[in-house]
Amino acid sequence: MAVTIKDVAKQANVSPATVSRVIADNPRISVKTKVKVREVMKELGYYPNFQARNLVAKNSRTLGVIMENSAALAFQNPFFPEVLRGISTRAHESQYGLYLSTGATQEEIYEEVIEMVQGRRVDGIVLLYSKIGDPVMEYLCQSGLPFAVVGRPYKNPCSVTYVDNDNINTAKETVEYLIGLGHRQIAFVGGATDFVVSLDRLEGYKQALNKHGILFDVAYTVNQEFMQGDKSEAIRRLMALELPPTAIVTHDDMVAYEVIGYLEDLKIQVPEDVSIIGFNNHMISKHLKPPLSTVDISIYDLGLHAAELVVEKITDASVPPKQVVVPSRLIERGSCRRL
Amino acid sequence: MAVTIKDVAKQANVSPATVSRVIADNPRISVKTKVKVREVMKELGYYPNFQARNLVAKNSRTLGVIMENSAALAFQNPFFPEVLRGISTRAHESQYGLYLSTGATQEEIYEEVIEMVQGRRVDGIVLLYSKIGDPVMEYLCQSGLPFAVVGRPYKNPCSVTYVDNDNINTAKETVEYLIGLGHRQIAFVGGATDFVVSLDRLEGYKQALNKHGILFDVAYTVNQEFMQGDKSEAIRRLMALELPPTAIVTHDDMVAYEVIGYLEDLKIQVPEDVSIIGFNNHMISKHLKPPLSTVDISIYDLGLHAAELVVEKITDASVPPKQVVVPSRLIERGSCRRL
DNA sequence: CTGAAAGCGCTTACAG
DNA sequence: CTGAAAGCGCTTACAG
């Protein structure tokens, strides 16, 4: 049997209440008593039982982290580990633990989140994605539990606390960079269309084209869901257009390299024939061939701020919803060329 | 205030004990009562409080997952997300939650683990690494809590439950594959030397050389710590040997590509001048140039089995320590050539 | 088949 | 400065 507060109390000749106060470092307890109790605690190897403590404290000092477990994609992508590292670091600073969702489908996740919240398993939640019509976010909103989203919510963004890049402008500037290099036929390979980040980047892409008098044409866009089918076929189709793209923006570095692979199959060289640009600045991208121009979106900071916001909200329920914009920046390397 | 068992009891005109039994689906409760109580639970939106339930049940239905958060490396590497996906899947099947360590240093992790265990936060633990002289594993051993390690323990492996590849033989076969292609000068770029996996693979490397009458020479080995210094310099030195390697085995695909990058800086081509082989079969490796020959170590299965073993041990404390060997296989692609 | 009571290990007003 | 008592929300022998 584990040693409890009673064992310590008995051994130290004080009441359990006093031991509890020593643990909480209550200033009304004499230094002498504290020293003695702490000695006994060490001697017996006492550690507080979290379940008991949390039950009465009505908190858990735990943050729930909600992510999708389904797609191998979600995991292979460096986004998840890096954002988690940011969350983890910030949580550890404030002595919060991390509880991870394990569900694979949207339904499983939904059920899990409700259990976490209603079951008082977590004090707050970091939602690692923002998608359209997501019941999880809706539930979270009406639950009243502190939470922060990594990514802009689709509906009423002002009432939700979130961290995001300015994806619209980032995408816009990225496309304008290519336009500045003389490109006019620019393709866009985006992520799944139910993610807000995909919509935002597509919007930025459109805005850039529009600003420079280039007509938007869906034929130049490829989305992730489509790519789940036959990716190489999607690229083949793209390059078979009457005016094939001279530049391609992709939503992730690894996807960029995959596209480069398909282009090579078609004897199309990067950057000689086609320029390409990625997102996320994967650690390896600068070492690969060609070194990839990419947008660094500061994934670690996204996680750090999300955790920060949740902890703040837990600590002080009266803070209004906040939105943090994490800067992103274009890193020029060798995968784009001037026309 | 959240709705409790008492609220349900009152509304359903039964005692709290009965409600509790309905939750547990106790067969001694009449169907009629069950139906009524369940109705009320749904009506009031009742969810059990985990803290309370766990306190009396003396378990938490939670698995602790211990990993290192320090190195950006640990996270960028696809190993972590993929092994977590395996763990997550298996845990979810048995309705276990996942609690993640957040510590960055070995000391922080050590403290966290003790708190998790003594504080009854978790019912079992998956340790995601095995390193020499790790106080965490020693503590876990003597704690009596069910745990499983991903990776062979350095000391008394027979008394610890773990999952691993047969790293010695895998490395041996990998090197023999290169020897079979006519290579004699084979370099080895391994991970940090305090990880058992690194030792094992180095051992396999040595065994292969020895078996084929090739003298082992440390000059042909580069370890990760060394590489933390100046990686490109390490490769330069390697290639400046009197008999430079004609083949290089690296412990990770991404490291392999980084090495390839440094080789290219030296105007050395892969596979024309040097053959190279990776580990982990990163999703992107088949798309990159050159397509990388690599050892697929079934990371997902490593996680799946580790979780399986812990759950089994939790369910039945009497099961003896088990060791599961997950198969790995060499995937031949275009980065090696016959001499 | 169901209820009253005790208890899991802790915290926190309330007294003194 | 410290203790006795009540209670957090649940479960589980023990009765009946």
Side-chain angles (χ1 to χ4, degrees), chain A residues 147-190:
Chain A
F147 75 102
V149 186
V150 175
R152 182 178 72 84
Y154 188 58
K155 291 200 300 192
N156 36 302
C158 294
S159 61
V160 172
T161 291
Y162 69 87
V163 192
D164 203 2
N165 306 107
D166 181 348
N167 280 308
I168 296 183
N169 269 313
T170 299
K172 187 178 166 199
E173 285 163 21
T174 304
V175 174
E176 287 197 85
Y177 162 75
L178 291 168
I179 293 173
L181 290 178
H183 296 276
R184 305 285 293 178
Q185 281 75 44
I186 301 170
F188 181 85
V189 177

mmCIF file of all heavy atoms in Angstrom, chain A residues 147-190:
data_model
loop_
_atom_site.group_PDB
_atom_site.id
_atom_site.type_symbol
_atom_site.label_atom_id
_atom_site.label_comp_id
_atom_site.label_asym_id
_atom_site.label_seq_id
_atom_site.Cartn_x
_atom_site.Cartn_y
_atom_site.Cartn_z
ATOM 1 N N PHE A 147 -10.204 26.731 -23.342
ATOM 2 C CA PHE A 147 -9.536 26.000 -24.419
ATOM 3 C C PHE A 147 -8.948 26.977 -25.421
ATOM 4 O O PHE A 147 -9.341 28.138 -25.482
ATOM 5 C CB PHE A 147 -10.498 25.024 -25.106
ATOM 6 C CG PHE A 147 -11.493 25.677 -26.031
ATOM 7 C CD1 PHE A 147 -11.304 25.654 -27.406
ATOM 8 C CD2 PHE A 147 -12.618 26.303 -25.520
ATOM 9 C CE1 PHE A 147 -12.231 26.256 -28.263
ATOM 10 C CE2 PHE A 147 -13.549 26.901 -26.365
ATOM 11 C CZ PHE A 147 -13.349 26.878 -27.736
ATOM 12 N N ALA A 148 -7.979 26.487 -26.154
ATOM 13 C CA ALA A 148 -7.380 27.300 -27.212
ATOM 14 C C ALA A 148 -7.214 26.422 -28.436
ATOM 15 O O ALA A 148 -6.971 25.222 -28.327
ATOM 16 C CB ALA A 148 -6.033 27.842 -26.767
ATOM 17 N N VAL A 149 -7.374 27.034 -29.573
ATOM 18 C CA VAL A 149 -7.271 26.301 -30.820
ATOM 19 C C VAL A 149 -5.992 26.708 -31.535
ATOM 20 O O VAL A 149 -5.604 27.872 -31.507
ATOM 21 C CB VAL A 149 -8.478 26.621 -31.741
ATOM 22 C CG1 VAL A 149 -8.458 25.738 -32.979
ATOM 23 C CG2 VAL A 149 -9.778 26.469 -30.984
ATOM 24 N N VAL A 150 -5.336 25.752 -32.123
ATOM 25 C CA VAL A 150 -4.244 26.074 -33.024
ATOM 26 C C VAL A 150 -4.867 26.136 -34.409
ATOM 27 O O VAL A 150 -5.195 25.105 -34.993
ATOM 28 C CB VAL A 150 -3.120 25.022 -32.966
ATOM 29 C CG1 VAL A 150 -2.058 25.329 -34.015
ATOM 30 C CG2 VAL A 150 -2.499 24.997 -31.578
ATOM 31 N N GLY A 151 -5.060 27.338 -34.885
ATOM 32 C CA GLY A 151 -5.772 27.528 -36.145
ATOM 33 C C GLY A 151 -6.999 28.393 -35.931
ATOM 34 O O GLY A 151 -7.651 28.309 -34.890
ATOM 35 N N ARG A 152 -7.318 29.175 -36.905
ATOM 36 C CA ARG A 152 -8.462 30.076 -36.803
ATOM 37 C C ARG A 152 -9.773 29.300 -36.879
ATOM 38 O O ARG A 152 -9.949 28.483 -37.775
ATOM 39 C CB ARG A 152 -8.396 31.065 -37.970
ATOM 40 C CG ARG A 152 -9.493 32.113 -37.993
ATOM 41 C CD ARG A 152 -9.305 33.062 -39.163
ATOM 42 N NE ARG A 152 -9.614 32.446 -40.449
ATOM 43 C CZ ARG A 152 -10.833 32.355 -40.976
ATOM 44 N NH1 ARG A 152 -11.870 32.836 -40.318
ATOM 45 N NH2 ARG A 152 -11.023 31.798 -42.155
ATOM 46 N N PRO A 153 -10.702 29.559 -35.971
ATOM 47 C CA PRO A 153 -12.013 28.903 -36.047
ATOM 48 C C PRO A 153 -12.766 29.419 -37.269
ATOM 49 O O PRO A 153 -12.561 30.559 -37.678
ATOM 50 C CB PRO A 153 -12.715 29.338 -34.765
ATOM 51 C CG PRO A 153 -11.661 29.927 -33.904
ATOM 52 C CD PRO A 153 -10.592 30.435 -34.801
ATOM 53 N N TYR A 154 -13.618 28.590 -37.791
ATOM 54 C CA TYR A 154 -14.359 28.975 -38.989
ATOM 55 C C TYR A 154 -15.488 29.932 -38.637
ATOM 56 O O TYR A 154 -15.728 30.910 -39.335
ATOM 57 C CB TYR A 154 -14.929 27.720 -39.642
ATOM 58 C CG TYR A 154 -15.548 27.955 -40.985
ATOM 59 C CD1 TYR A 154 -14.803 28.510 -42.029
ATOM 60 C CD2 TYR A 154 -16.871 27.601 -41.233
ATOM 61 C CE1 TYR A 154 -15.363 28.703 -43.271
ATOM 62 C CE2 TYR A 154 -17.436 27.797 -42.479
ATOM 63 C CZ TYR A 154 -16.680 28.354 -43.502
ATOM 64 O OH TYR A 154 -17.236 28.548 -44.731
ATOM 65 N N LYS A 155 -16.165 29.622 -37.511
ATOM 66 C CA LYS A 155 -17.262 30.479 -37.090
ATOM 67 C C LYS A 155 -16.840 31.377 -35.930
ATOM 68 O O LYS A 155 -15.944 31.035 -35.168
ATOM 69 C CB LYS A 155 -18.472 29.620 -36.673
ATOM 70 C CG LYS A 155 -19.105 28.908 -37.850
ATOM 71 C CD LYS A 155 -20.536 28.484 -37.538
ATOM 72 C CE LYS A 155 -20.586 27.547 -36.346
ATOM 73 N NZ LYS A 155 -21.922 26.919 -36.226
ATOM 74 N N ASN A 156 -17.514 32.496 -35.767
ATOM 75 C CA ASN A 156 -17.260 33.478 -34.716
ATOM 76 C C ASN A 156 -15.863 33.408 -34.087
ATOM 77 O O ASN A 156 -15.707 33.080 -32.930
ATOM 78 C CB ASN A 156 -18.320 33.430 -33.604
ATOM 79 C CG ASN A 156 -18.808 32.008 -33.332
ATOM 80 O OD1 ASN A 156 -19.303 31.335 -34.236
ATOM 81 N ND2 ASN A 156 -18.661 31.571 -32.115
ATOM 82 N N PRO A 157 -14.875 33.759 -34.867
ATOM 83 C CA PRO A 157 -13.496 33.701 -34.372
ATOM 84 C C PRO A 157 -13.232 34.639 -33.201
ATOM 85 O O PRO A 157 -12.306 34.415 -32.441
ATOM 86 C CB PRO A 157 -12.660 34.104 -35.588
ATOM 87 C CG PRO A 157 -13.598 34.820 -36.495
ATOM 88 C CD PRO A 157 -14.942 34.246 -36.249
ATOM 89 N N CYS A 158 -14.060 35.654 -33.044
ATOM 90 C CA CYS A 158 -13.776 36.631 -31.994
ATOM 91 C C CYS A 158 -14.066 36.123 -30.592
ATOM 92 O O CYS A 158 -13.552 36.626 -29.606
ATOM 93 C CB CYS A 158 -14.552 37.912 -32.231
ATOM 94 S SG CYS A 158 -13.994 38.740 -33.723
ATOM 95 N N SER A 159 -14.916 35.108 -30.509
ATOM 96 C CA SER A 159 -15.278 34.642 -29.177
ATOM 97 C C SER A 159 -14.454 33.425 -28.764
ATOM 98 O O SER A 159 -14.646 32.863 -27.709
ATOM 99 C CB SER A 159 -16.766 34.307 -29.140
ATOM 100 O OG SER A 159 -17.033 33.287 -30.075
ATOM 101 N N VAL A 160 -13.546 33.027 -29.635
ATOM 102 C CA VAL A 160 -12.725 31.858 -29.328
ATOM 103 C C VAL A 160 -11.262 32.274 -29.180
ATOM 104 O O VAL A 160 -10.774 33.134 -29.913
ATOM 105 C CB VAL A 160 -12.837 30.803 -30.456
ATOM 106 C CG1 VAL A 160 -11.854 29.670 -30.252
ATOM 107 C CG2 VAL A 160 -14.265 30.279 -30.546
ATOM 108 N N THR A 161 -10.592 31.688 -28.222
ATOM 109 C CA THR A 161 -9.171 31.946 -28.038
ATOM 110 C C THR A 161 -8.380 31.038 -28.975
ATOM 111 O O THR A 161 -8.556 29.823 -28.950
ATOM 112 C CB THR A 161 -8.771 31.669 -26.576
ATOM 113 O OG1 THR A 161 -9.374 32.659 -25.743
ATOM 114 C CG2 THR A 161 -7.266 31.717 -26.403
ATOM 115 N N TYR A 162 -7.540 31.632 -29.785
ATOM 116 C CA TYR A 162 -6.769 30.783 -30.703
ATOM 117 C C TYR A 162 -5.423 31.399 -31.068
ATOM 118 O O TYR A 162 -5.190 32.591 -30.880
ATOM 119 C CB TYR A 162 -7.577 30.475 -31.959
ATOM 120 C CG TYR A 162 -7.818 31.643 -32.889
ATOM 121 C CD1 TYR A 162 -6.888 31.963 -33.878
ATOM 122 C CD2 TYR A 162 -8.972 32.403 -32.797
ATOM 123 C CE1 TYR A 162 -7.121 33.016 -34.756
ATOM 124 C CE2 TYR A 162 -9.215 33.456 -33.659
ATOM 125 C CZ TYR A 162 -8.280 33.766 -34.642
ATOM 126 O OH TYR A 162 -8.504 34.808 -35.493
ATOM 127 N N VAL A 163 -4.585 30.568 -31.612
ATOM 128 C CA VAL A 163 -3.277 30.973 -32.119
ATOM 129 C C VAL A 163 -3.231 30.565 -33.574
ATOM 130 O O VAL A 163 -3.689 29.481 -33.930
ATOM 131 C CB VAL A 163 -2.138 30.208 -31.416
ATOM 132 C CG1 VAL A 163 -0.811 30.834 -31.744
ATOM 133 C CG2 VAL A 163 -2.357 30.155 -29.930
ATOM 134 N N ASP A 164 -2.692 31.419 -34.378
ATOM 135 C CA ASP A 164 -2.599 31.048 -35.787
ATOM 136 C C ASP A 164 -1.568 31.926 -36.473
ATOM 137 O O ASP A 164 -1.162 32.960 -35.947
ATOM 138 C CB ASP A 164 -3.972 31.217 -36.470
ATOM 139 C CG ASP A 164 -4.103 30.356 -37.730
ATOM 140 O OD1 ASP A 164 -3.150 29.610 -38.036
ATOM 141 O OD2 ASP A 164 -5.149 30.429 -38.387
ATOM 142 N N ASN A 165 -1.145 31.483 -37.626
ATOM 143 C CA ASN A 165 -0.412 32.390 -38.491
ATOM 144 C C ASN A 165 -1.458 33.208 -39.225
ATOM 145 O O ASN A 165 -2.624 32.869 -39.226
ATOM 146 C CB ASN A 165 0.402 31.602 -39.521
ATOM 147 C CG ASN A 165 1.309 30.573 -38.892
ATOM 148 O OD1 ASN A 165 1.046 29.381 -38.965
ATOM 149 N ND2 ASN A 165 2.359 31.017 -38.247
ATOM 150 N N ASP A 166 -1.013 34.275 -39.840
ATOM 151 C CA ASP A 166 -1.929 34.998 -40.717
ATOM 152 C C ASP A 166 -1.857 34.290 -42.063
ATOM 153 O O ASP A 166 -1.135 34.709 -42.965
ATOM 154 C CB ASP A 166 -1.493 36.457 -40.837
ATOM 155 C CG ASP A 166 -2.445 37.247 -41.714
ATOM 156 O OD1 ASP A 166 -3.292 36.625 -42.391
ATOM 157 O OD2 ASP A 166 -2.337 38.482 -41.739
ATOM 158 N N ASN A 167 -2.613 33.216 -42.159
ATOM 159 C CA ASN A 167 -2.451 32.345 -43.328
ATOM 160 C C ASN A 167 -2.830 33.000 -44.644
ATOM 161 O O ASN A 167 -2.233 32.719 -45.676
ATOM 162 C CB ASN A 167 -3.246 31.051 -43.132
ATOM 163 C CG ASN A 167 -2.499 30.077 -42.246
ATOM 164 O OD1 ASN A 167 -1.335 29.774 -42.505
ATOM 165 N ND2 ASN A 167 -3.135 29.598 -41.190
ATOM 166 N N ILE A 168 -3.843 33.840 -44.581
ATOM 167 C CA ILE A 168 -4.253 34.504 -45.822
ATOM 168 C C ILE A 168 -3.104 35.351 -46.360
ATOM 169 O O ILE A 168 -2.673 35.207 -47.505
ATOM 170 C CB ILE A 168 -5.507 35.374 -45.582
ATOM 171 C CG1 ILE A 168 -6.680 34.478 -45.175
ATOM 172 C CG2 ILE A 168 -5.842 36.183 -46.836
ATOM 173 C CD1 ILE A 168 -7.993 35.219 -44.968
ATOM 174 N N ASN A 169 -2.577 36.221 -45.509
ATOM 175 C CA ASN A 169 -1.499 37.091 -45.968
ATOM 176 C C ASN A 169 -0.217 36.343 -46.282
ATOM 177 O O ASN A 169 0.512 36.699 -47.210
ATOM 178 C CB ASN A 169 -1.220 38.184 -44.943
ATOM 179 C CG ASN A 169 -2.051 39.414 -45.220
ATOM 180 O OD1 ASN A 169 -2.115 39.870 -46.362
ATOM 181 N ND2 ASN A 169 -2.715 39.935 -44.194
ATOM 182 N N THR A 170 0.051 35.332 -45.490
ATOM 183 C CA THR A 170 1.265 34.554 -45.742
ATOM 184 C C THR A 170 1.205 33.914 -47.124
ATOM 185 O O THR A 170 2.159 33.974 -47.900
ATOM 186 C CB THR A 170 1.429 33.460 -44.666
ATOM 187 O OG1 THR A 170 1.545 34.090 -43.401
ATOM 188 C CG2 THR A 170 2.667 32.629 -44.928
ATOM 189 N N ALA A 171 0.069 33.312 -47.416
ATOM 190 C CA ALA A 171 -0.091 32.673 -48.726
ATOM 191 C C ALA A 171 -0.035 33.726 -49.832
ATOM 192 O O ALA A 171 0.580 33.529 -50.878
ATOM 193 C CB ALA A 171 -1.411 31.916 -48.777
ATOM 194 N N LYS A 172 -0.685 34.842 -49.545
ATOM 195 C CA LYS A 172 -0.709 35.917 -50.536
ATOM 196 C C LYS A 172 0.715 36.384 -50.861
ATOM 197 O O LYS A 172 1.113 36.496 -52.022
ATOM 198 C CB LYS A 172 -1.534 37.088 -49.976
ATOM 199 C CG LYS A 172 -1.776 38.206 -50.969
ATOM 200 C CD LYS A 172 -2.646 39.288 -50.337
ATOM 201 C CE LYS A 172 -2.607 40.557 -51.189
ATOM 202 N NZ LYS A 172 -3.034 41.736 -50.409
ATOM 203 N N GLU A 173 1.481 36.617 -49.818
ATOM 204 C CA GLU A 173 2.850 37.088 -50.028
ATOM 205 C C GLU A 173 3.714 36.044 -50.728
ATOM 206 O O GLU A 173 4.590 36.377 -51.527
ATOM 207 C CB GLU A 173 3.486 37.462 -48.678
ATOM 208 C CG GLU A 173 2.961 38.782 -48.134
ATOM 209 C CD GLU A 173 3.263 38.966 -46.652
ATOM 210 O OE1 GLU A 173 4.188 38.289 -46.153
ATOM 211 O OE2 GLU A 173 2.563 39.758 -45.994
ATOM 212 N N THR A 174 3.430 34.802 -50.398
ATOM 213 C CA THR A 174 4.193 33.728 -51.029
ATOM 214 C C THR A 174 3.933 33.708 -52.533
ATOM 215 O O THR A 174 4.853 33.606 -53.340
ATOM 216 C CB THR A 174 3.788 32.369 -50.413
ATOM 217 O OG1 THR A 174 3.993 32.440 -49.005
ATOM 218 C CG2 THR A 174 4.611 31.241 -50.988
ATOM 219 N N VAL A 175 2.667 33.818 -52.875
ATOM 220 C CA VAL A 175 2.313 33.827 -54.289
ATOM 221 C C VAL A 175 2.855 35.088 -54.965
ATOM 222 O O VAL A 175 3.361 35.048 -56.096
ATOM 223 C CB VAL A 175 0.784 33.715 -54.468
ATOM 224 C CG1 VAL A 175 0.384 33.881 -55.926
ATOM 225 C CG2 VAL A 175 0.288 32.370 -53.923
ATOM 226 N N GLU A 176 2.790 36.199 -54.251
ATOM 227 C CA GLU A 176 3.316 37.445 -54.833
ATOM 228 C C GLU A 176 4.820 37.366 -55.053
ATOM 229 O O GLU A 176 5.356 37.976 -55.978
ATOM 230 C CB GLU A 176 2.982 38.633 -53.920
ATOM 231 C CG GLU A 176 1.519 39.015 -53.978
ATOM 232 C CD GLU A 176 1.262 40.416 -53.427
ATOM 233 O OE1 GLU A 176 1.404 41.380 -54.212
ATOM 234 O OE2 GLU A 176 0.959 40.517 -52.231
ATOM 235 N N TYR A 177 5.478 36.633 -54.185
ATOM 236 C CA TYR A 177 6.914 36.419 -54.363
ATOM 237 C C TYR A 177 7.160 35.728 -55.700
ATOM 238 O O TYR A 177 8.037 36.122 -56.485
ATOM 239 C CB TYR A 177 7.452 35.591 -53.195
ATOM 240 C CG TYR A 177 8.776 34.927 -53.426
ATOM 241 C CD1 TYR A 177 9.969 35.663 -53.409
ATOM 242 C CD2 TYR A 177 8.864 33.553 -53.648
ATOM 243 C CE1 TYR A 177 11.188 35.046 -53.619
ATOM 244 C CE2 TYR A 177 10.070 32.932 -53.854
ATOM 245 C CZ TYR A 177 11.230 33.678 -53.846
ATOM 246 O OH TYR A 177 12.444 33.059 -54.045
ATOM 247 N N LEU A 178 6.336 34.731 -55.988
ATOM 248 C CA LEU A 178 6.474 34.009 -57.257
ATOM 249 C C LEU A 178 6.118 34.907 -58.434
ATOM 250 O O LEU A 178 6.776 34.889 -59.481
ATOM 251 C CB LEU A 178 5.599 32.752 -57.256
ATOM 252 C CG LEU A 178 6.062 31.651 -56.287
ATOM 253 C CD1 LEU A 178 4.992 30.571 -56.131
ATOM 254 C CD2 LEU A 178 7.383 31.041 -56.757
ATOM 255 N N ILE A 179 5.067 35.708 -58.240
ATOM 256 C CA ILE A 179 4.678 36.644 -59.298
ATOM 257 C C ILE A 179 5.828 37.615 -59.552
ATOM 258 O O ILE A 179 6.158 37.944 -60.692
ATOM 259 C CB ILE A 179 3.384 37.401 -58.914
ATOM 260 C CG1 ILE A 179 2.202 36.414 -58.870
ATOM 261 C CG2 ILE A 179 3.103 38.532 -59.899
ATOM 262 C CD1 ILE A 179 0.901 37.011 -58.345
ATOM 263 N N GLY A 180 6.448 38.029 -58.468
ATOM 264 C CA GLY A 180 7.596 38.935 -58.578
ATOM 265 C C GLY A 180 8.746 38.326 -59.361
ATOM 266 O O GLY A 180 9.551 39.035 -59.965
ATOM 267 N N LEU A 181 8.803 37.003 -59.331
ATOM 268 C CA LEU A 181 9.858 36.314 -60.090
ATOM 269 C C LEU A 181 9.437 36.131 -61.554
ATOM 270 O O LEU A 181 10.160 35.530 -62.339
ATOM 271 C CB LEU A 181 10.164 34.946 -59.473
ATOM 272 C CG LEU A 181 10.869 34.940 -58.107
ATOM 273 C CD1 LEU A 181 11.066 33.512 -57.614
ATOM 274 C CD2 LEU A 181 12.209 35.650 -58.182
ATOM 275 N N GLY A 182 8.251 36.626 -61.864
ATOM 276 C CA GLY A 182 7.805 36.572 -63.247
ATOM 277 C C GLY A 182 6.828 35.458 -63.577
ATOM 278 O O GLY A 182 6.457 35.270 -64.731
ATOM 279 N N HIS A 183 6.396 34.725 -62.558
ATOM 280 C CA HIS A 183 5.467 33.623 -62.815
ATOM 281 C C HIS A 183 4.040 34.146 -62.951
ATOM 282 O O HIS A 183 3.633 35.068 -62.267
ATOM 283 C CB HIS A 183 5.540 32.592 -61.682
ATOM 284 C CG HIS A 183 6.872 31.923 -61.584
ATOM 285 N ND1 HIS A 183 7.231 30.843 -62.341
ATOM 286 C CD2 HIS A 183 7.978 32.223 -60.843
ATOM 287 C CE1 HIS A 183 8.473 30.488 -62.059
ATOM 288 N NE2 HIS A 183 8.960 31.317 -61.150
ATOM 289 N N ARG A 184 3.286 33.540 -63.867
ATOM 290 C CA ARG A 184 1.875 33.894 -64.047
ATOM 291 C C ARG A 184 0.991 32.651 -63.872
ATOM 292 O O ARG A 184 -0.101 32.740 -63.349
ATOM 293 C CB ARG A 184 1.641 34.474 -65.453
ATOM 294 C CG ARG A 184 2.521 35.666 -65.816
ATOM 295 C CD ARG A 184 2.106 36.951 -65.133
ATOM 296 N NE ARG A 184 0.814 37.434 -65.592
ATOM 297 C CZ ARG A 184 0.213 38.530 -65.107
ATOM 298 N NH1 ARG A 184 0.807 39.235 -64.124
ATOM 299 N NH2 ARG A 184 -0.956 38.912 -65.566
ATOM 300 N N GLN A 185 1.492 31.517 -64.324
ATOM 301 C CA GLN A 185 0.732 30.276 -64.120
ATOM 302 C C GLN A 185 1.258 29.625 -62.841
ATOM 303 O O GLN A 185 2.304 28.984 -62.838
ATOM 304 C CB GLN A 185 0.916 29.305 -65.296
ATOM 305 C CG GLN A 185 0.076 29.645 -66.512
ATOM 306 C CD GLN A 185 0.638 30.829 -67.268
ATOM 307 O OE1 GLN A 185 1.846 30.888 -67.474
ATOM 308 N NE2 GLN A 185 -0.200 31.769 -67.653
ATOM 309 N N ILE A 186 0.494 29.842 -61.774
ATOM 310 C CA ILE A 186 0.935 29.327 -60.483
ATOM 311 C C ILE A 186 -0.094 28.345 -59.950
ATOM 312 O O ILE A 186 -1.267 28.677 -59.811
ATOM 313 C CB ILE A 186 1.118 30.493 -59.486
ATOM 314 C CG1 ILE A 186 2.149 31.488 -60.048
ATOM 315 C CG2 ILE A 186 1.544 29.981 -58.118
ATOM 316 C CD1 ILE A 186 2.244 32.783 -59.284
ATOM 317 N N ALA A 187 0.361 27.145 -59.664
ATOM 318 C CA ALA A 187 -0.558 26.125 -59.149
ATOM 319 C C ALA A 187 -0.524 26.109 -57.631
ATOM 320 O O ALA A 187 0.437 26.568 -57.007
ATOM 321 C CB ALA A 187 -0.198 24.755 -59.705
ATOM 322 N N PHE A 188 -1.583 25.568 -57.068
ATOM 323 C CA PHE A 188 -1.719 25.543 -55.621
ATOM 324 C C PHE A 188 -2.100 24.139 -55.173
ATOM 325 O O PHE A 188 -3.168 23.639 -55.522
ATOM 326 C CB PHE A 188 -2.787 26.562 -55.211
ATOM 327 C CG PHE A 188 -3.003 26.657 -53.729
ATOM 328 C CD1 PHE A 188 -2.196 27.470 -52.947
ATOM 329 C CD2 PHE A 188 -4.020 25.923 -53.114
ATOM 330 C CE1 PHE A 188 -2.395 27.562 -51.577
ATOM 331 C CE2 PHE A 188 -4.223 26.011 -51.741
ATOM 332 C CZ PHE A 188 -3.401 26.832 -50.975
ATOM 333 N N VAL A 189 -1.226 23.521 -54.413
ATOM 334 C CA VAL A 189 -1.532 22.193 -53.866
ATOM 335 C C VAL A 189 -1.806 22.362 -52.374
ATOM 336 O O VAL A 189 -0.895 22.582 -51.578
ATOM 337 C CB VAL A 189 -0.352 21.219 -54.077
ATOM 338 C CG1 VAL A 189 -0.661 19.866 -53.448
ATOM 339 C CG2 VAL A 189 -0.059 21.062 -55.560
ATOM 340 N N GLY A 190 -3.082 22.299 -52.018
ATOM 341 C CA GLY A 190 -3.463 22.594 -50.635
ATOM 342 C C GLY A 190 -3.850 21.358 -49.863
ATOM 343 O O GLY A 190 -3.913 20.251 -50.404
#
